[in-house]
């Protein structure tokens, strides 16, 4: 029997029917799980739900004007800043609606969001709390102030029994980031989450202040039903968007085994920590055999002193071992980096590029990754370090960061030059190879050597599959400028 894509909807309560509008501003080119999942919960509770993804469609004024409850989804820094930018227009169209912000970055910026008019702020496992908040508004409107007076949790880590996301009303999958294949073909990409949160405590990670070392799984059958719905909508490849797919290794392996049994022609990618790739190296073969095309891993740096400050849980030697394991397994590794930190040196940046080249991974690194600057948001564990506390300025509520400048003006200048070079390369639709060679020449020149002393290196491997919207995090606001042209990233 064919599985239903739409959830069974309970009979709505008699009387006032609340109109809920869920808004996403940016989620790395994915059809937002953070709208689809709560939409299902809200519809089950009898609410009328509309969704807007402003990364792919204009603000629909009629939808805003008709809403009783407007909730912005804030999964990342860029999304938060873009939501704040559009908020005045939303308020002008509908000043009476209850305003809610939810997602990873909502509790981190709760005070500022409330100063902008937020009446509800939710983080963590927030589907249940979002339904409760909407129900309180409905009850207040219908004359039940006692129920409306109850306050939601700022951060909820309740273990939820999920239901399949409701993706009806979102832009079609073909309008989102695609999987680019080396032969020139591309595939429609779906997106789901098998778990949320993380059991690790990396200092720079925005997940940590909210989940504090805990993670929650999405039940296997819910994940597989969500994938089936997206396959029926045209998905040819799935991105598992978990912060770390191997946080729950048995859960992850069970999912990909069943995934491959039900959808043998479908491919996927996932994000997994370096230390988990080493600990569970025997499962690299499982990933390859079940359709995994590549794994994203947050390497961040090749400098062990920086990795120690970030508490990444791995060393440069570990990264090299993982790169070797992936070569042996026939899997593509897609490393990500925080190239510019307060501890980056001119020599260190050149060494980063050199290490990438030595490991024959230059094809594997999205150009944007080579210009990422460390982000220090509210609640960051980086602020536990005295050297960071002494470096940063007062919290910048406009940009939602603790601003910092490198102690070496030459590194600041290199960062700006790297940003310009990457931006220019993307605008000209240059290949990753061309941009990488441009950055290596720039690094050599900055170190004081003549640019002529470094000869662009040939690339021994063909390009690998990649998503047309490159993954990044931990970036200061300039990252969103690159994200705006990410569709042209090669």
């Amino acid at each position: 029997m064919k599985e239903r894509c739409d959830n069974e909807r309970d009979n709505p309560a008699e009387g006032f029917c609340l109109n809920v509008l869920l808004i996403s501003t940016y989620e790395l080119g994915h059809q937002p799980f953070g709208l689809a999942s709560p939409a299902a919960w809200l519809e089950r509770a009898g609410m009328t739900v509309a969704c807007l993804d402003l990364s792919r469609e204009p603000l629909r004024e009629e939808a805003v004007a008709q809403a009783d409850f407007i909730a912005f989804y804030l999964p990342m820094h860029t999304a938060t800043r873009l939501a704040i930018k559009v908020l005045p227009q939303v308020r002008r169209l509908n000043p009476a609606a209850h305003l809610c912000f939810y997602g990873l970055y909502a509790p981190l910026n709760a005070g500022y969001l409330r100063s902008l008019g937020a009446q509800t702020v939710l983080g963590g496992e927030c589907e249940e709390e979002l339904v409760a908040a909407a129900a309180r508004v409905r009850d207040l409107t219908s004359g039940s102030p006692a129920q409306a007076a109850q306050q939601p949790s700022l951060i909820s880590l309740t273990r939820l029994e999920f239901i399949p996301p409701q993706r009806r009303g979102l832009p079609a999958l073909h309008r989102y980031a695609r999987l680019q294949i080396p032969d020139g073909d591309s595939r429609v990409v779906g997106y789901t989450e098998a778990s949320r949160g993380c059991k690790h405590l990396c200092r720079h990670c925005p997940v940590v202040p909210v989940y504090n070392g805990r993670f929650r799984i999405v039940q296997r059958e819910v994940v597989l039903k969500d994938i089936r719905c997206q396959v029926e909508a045209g998905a040819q490849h799935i991105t598992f968007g978990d912060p770390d797919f191997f946080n729950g290794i048995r859960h992850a392996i069970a999912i990909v085994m069943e995934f491959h049994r039900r959808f043998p022609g479908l491919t996927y990618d996932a994000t997994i920590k370096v230390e988990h790739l080493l600990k569970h190296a025997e499962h690299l073969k499982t990933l390859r055999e079940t359709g995994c095309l590549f794994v994203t891993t947050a390497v961040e740096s090749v400098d062990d002193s920086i990795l120690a400050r970030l508490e990444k849980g791995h060393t440069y030697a570990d990264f090299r071992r993982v790169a070797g394991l992936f070569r042996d397994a026939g899997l593509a590794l897609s490393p990500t980096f925080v190239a510019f930190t307060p501890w980056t040196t001119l020599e260190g940046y050149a060494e980063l590029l050199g290490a990438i080249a030595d490991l024959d991974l230059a094809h594997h690194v999205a150009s944007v990754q080579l210009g990422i600057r460390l982000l220090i948001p509210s609640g960051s564990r980086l602020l536990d370090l005295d050297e960071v506390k002494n470096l940063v300025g007062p919290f910048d509520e406009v940009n939602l960061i603790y601003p910092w400048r490198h102690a070496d003006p030459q590194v600041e200048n290199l960062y700006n030059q790297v940003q310009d070079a990457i931006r220019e390369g993307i605008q000209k639709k240059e290949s990753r190879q061309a941009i990488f060679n441009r950055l290596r020449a720039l690094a050599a020149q900055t170190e004081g050597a003549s640019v002529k002393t470094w000869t662009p290196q040939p690339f021994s491997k063909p390009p690998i599959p990649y998503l047309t919207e490159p993954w990044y995090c931990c970036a200061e606001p300039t990252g969103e400028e690159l994200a705006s042209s990410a569709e042209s990233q090669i």
Side-chain angles (χ1 to χ4, degrees), residues 5 38 89 136 161 239 298 332:
C5 290
Q89 184 179 0
R136 281 188 286 272
E161 287 293 327
T239 290

Side-chain angles (χ1 to χ4, degrees), residues 55-274:
S55 74
R56 292 299 184 272
E57 59 184 326
L59 187 72
R60 297 199 302 269
E61 294 188 357
E62 183 178 1
V64 175
Q66 292 177 347
D68 305 297
F69 187 100
I70 298 175
F72 283 91
Y73 174 49
L74 309 181
M76 56 185 298
H77 182 264
T78 299
T80 307
R81 294 188 64 230
L82 292 175
I84 290 170
K85 184 176 180 180
V86 78
L87 181 59
Q89 184 179 0
V90 168
R91 272 323 213 184
R92 185 171 64 253
L93 291 168
N94 189 340
H98 185 96
L99 189 61
C100 171
F101 291 88
Y102 69 100
L104 197 63
Y105 271 77
L108 298 184
N109 299 285
Y112 182 56
L113 294 173
R114 289 194 175 104
S115 76
L116 298 176
Q119 293 150 285
T120 300
V121 179
L122 304 171
E125 305 299 281
C126 51
E127 281 87 348
E128 196 170 67
E129 291 286 355
L130 191 58
V131 170
R136 281 188 286 272
V137 172
R138 180 191 60 196
D139 293 344
L140 179 60
T141 305
S142 62
S144 302
Q147 173 69 14
Q150 299 175 19
Q151 294 301 311
S153 301
L154 179 64
I155 296 175
S156 173
L157 296 180
T158 301
R159 297 181 186 274
L160 300 176
E161 287 293 327
F162 286 90
I163 59 177
Q166 173 53 265
R167 297 179 179 275
R168 184 181 62 246
L170 287 168
L173 288 177
H174 69 81
R175 296 182 59 189
Y176 289 88
R178 298 178 72 89
L179 178 77
Q180 191 67 41
I181 305 297
D183 63 8
D185 191 18
S186 67
R187 298 178 188 173
V188 176
V189 177
Y191 174 92
T192 194
E193 296 176 2
S195 66
R196 301 192 297 201
C198 186
K199 64 182 181 182
H200 297 276
L201 298 171
C202 304
R203 283 193 184 277
H204 61 309
C205 179
V207 176
V208 173
V210 175
Y211 283 88
N212 196 28
R214 286 162 287 186
F215 74 101
R216 298 289 183 258
I217 66 167
V218 180
Q219 289 74 29
R220 185 194 317 173
E221 197 57 34
V222 172
V223 177
L224 292 167
K225 284 183 178 180
D226 186 30
I227 291 171
R228 177 172 293 281
C229 288
Q230 293 182 78
V231 170
E232 292 175 357
Q236 301 162 299
H237 177 91
I238 297 293
T239 290
F240 287 99
D242 311 40
D244 191 321
F245 193 54
F246 275 7
N247 264 321
I249 183 67
R250 291 192 298 273
H251 177 60
I253 294 302
I255 283 177
V256 297
M257 295 290 286
E258 186 63 16
F259 168 95
H260 186 60
R261 189 188 72 79
R262 296 190 192 185
F263 316 105
L266 209 62
T267 56
Y268 68 92
D269 68 273
T271 298
I272 306 173
K273 280 176 67 68
V274 168

Side-chain angles (χ1 to χ4, degrees), residues 124 403 411 465:
V411 176

Side-chain angles (χ1 to χ4, degrees), residues 221-388:
E221 197 57 34
V222 172
V223 177
L224 292 167
K225 284 183 178 180
D226 186 30
I227 291 171
R228 177 172 293 281
C229 288
Q230 293 182 78
V231 170
E232 292 175 357
Q236 301 162 299
H237 177 91
I238 297 293
T239 290
F240 287 99
D242 311 40
D244 191 321
F245 193 54
F246 275 7
N247 264 321
I249 183 67
R250 291 192 298 273
H251 177 60
I253 294 302
I255 283 177
V256 297
M257 295 290 286
E258 186 63 16
F259 168 95
H260 186 60
R261 189 188 72 79
R262 296 190 192 185
F263 316 105
L266 209 62
T267 56
Y268 68 92
D269 68 273
T271 298
I272 306 173
K273 280 176 67 68
V274 168
E275 63 182 289
H276 282 170
L277 293 171
L278 288 175
K279 182 178 180 180
H280 305 294
E282 73 276 12
H283 285 303
L284 297 187
K285 180 181 178 182
T286 307
L287 293 178
R288 186 194 70 232
E289 292 177 347
T290 54
C292 184
L293 289 185
F294 63 92
V295 170
T296 299
T297 191
V299 176
E300 315 300 41
S301 178
V302 298
D303 183 324
D304 284 345
S305 68
I306 294 177
L307 291 170
R309 286 182 172 96
L310 300 181
E311 294 191 4
K312 279 300 299 176
H314 70 258
T315 64
Y316 174 43
D318 292 334
F319 168 42
R320 294 184 67 91
R321 286 177 59 202
V322 165
L325 289 170
F326 269 70
R327 283 194 298 270
D328 294 342
L331 265 176
L333 186 68
S334 180
T336 64
F337 299 94
V338 181
F340 289 90
T341 73
W343 311 285
T344 300
T345 63
L346 298 178
E347 297 80 5
Y349 185 73
E351 289 169 0
L352 169 64
L353 300 183
I356 292 170
D358 290 346
L359 293 171
D360 213 3
L361 290 174
H363 280 299
H364 299 231
V365 182
S367 301
V368 66
Q369 290 296 325
L370 303 175
I372 296 293
R373 180 183 177 96
L374 183 66
L375 173 76
I376 307 179
S378 176
S380 173
R381 287 191 65 235
L382 286 165
L383 296 169
D384 293 343
L385 299 175
D386 288 338
E387 57 187 319
V388 172

